[in-house]
Amino acid sequence: MPDSDPLLNRLLAAKAIAETKARYCRYIDTKQWPRLGSLFTPDCRFEGLGSAPAGADVAAFVQGVSTRLANTISVHHCHMPEIRLLGPDHARVIWAMEDYVDWTDGSAVKEAPGSRGFRGYGHYEEEYRAVDGEWKISFLRLTRLRIDPVDAAQPPALKGQRQATPDWLDVD
């Protein structure tokens, strides 16, 4: 990125970081596990997740989340990023988040015992690094403010009429 316009560089970095997080949510909800792993630096560490222990590496995180969410319909949304560029290749970000996870196979839900799933609210606290011109997540912590159970007696969730097209943006 040229150094001639610092404001433009900051805006472009913020946009690229937001696109990385958008892909994170989409890859989880559409279960694109190999692509999910590509969003992180090799030394990334994770905290606060039900799918991986604190300090887990990328492989443990992807394995954990792919196993845990295999039989779910999930929806992850991240909003209102607070992006602080700490240098040309380093940033810290806080994202407001909401997730909805519905286990379709009757599995136990540790966040909301006796329920079929949950709707959660909280924040992601993350660090990003630019690697070869691409912003990647180098630290991810999930904090939760609230978890609401999805009552097991609620009618089952229905998948959408049209499923995602994983390669939609892969155009030359």
Side-chain angles (χ1 to χ4, degrees):
M1 222 179 305
D3 294 324
S4 58
D5 188 344
L7 178 58
L8 178 60
N9 291 344
R10 291 172 58 83
L11 291 171
L12 291 172
K15 182 176 184 331
I17 289 167
E19 287 185 4
T20 298
K21 191 60 176 183
R23 285 190 294 274
Y24 169 88
C25 292
R26 179 167 57 96
Y27 293 167
I28 285 181
D29 293 337
T30 59
K31 299 175 177 27
Q32 296 182 58
W33 309 124
R35 285 183 170 187
L36 178 65
S38 74
L39 300 177
F40 304 101
T41 62
D43 62 343
C44 185
R45 292 296 177 259
F46 301 83
E47 292 181 7
L49 300 157
S51 56
D57 64 10
V58 175
F61 168 72
V62 172
Q63 176 61 42
V65 75
S66 65
T67 300
R68 185 157 192 257
L69 298 184
N71 297 310
T72 67
I73 297 173
S74 68
V75 179
H76 289 76
H77 287 179
C78 292
H79 316 279
M80 305 179 306
E82 298 175 68
I83 300 173
R84 298 294 178 267
L85 291 174
L86 304 175
D89 299 328
H90 184 211
R92 277 195 168 181
V93 183
I94 297 175
W95 298 92
M97 64 76 63
E98 177 180 354
D99 58 353
Y100 178 89
V101 184
D102 188 342
W103 273 264
T104 57
D105 65 351
S107 297
V109 181
K110 64 182 175 182
E111 290 85 354
S115 69
R116 194 179 72 223
F118 66 89
R119 182 180 304 276
Y121 308 87
H123 296 93
Y124 282 103
E125 299 172 343
E126 298 176 334
E127 290 198 27
Y128 288 74
R129 283 199 322 258
V131 178
D132 297 327
E134 189 174 348
W135 285 93
K136 295 187 177 274
I137 302 167
S138 60
F139 175 78
L140 183 151
R141 177 187 299 128
L142 175 60
T143 65
R144 292 208 179 263
L145 299 169
R146 177 182 173 124
I147 295 176
D148 295 331
V150 173
D151 191 315
Q154 179 177 313
L158 302 174
K159 282 196 168 192
Q161 294 299 312
R162 177 171 291 280
Q163 296 303 303
T165 306
D167 300 328
W168 180 250
L169 295 177
D170 296 346
V171 293
D172 293 325

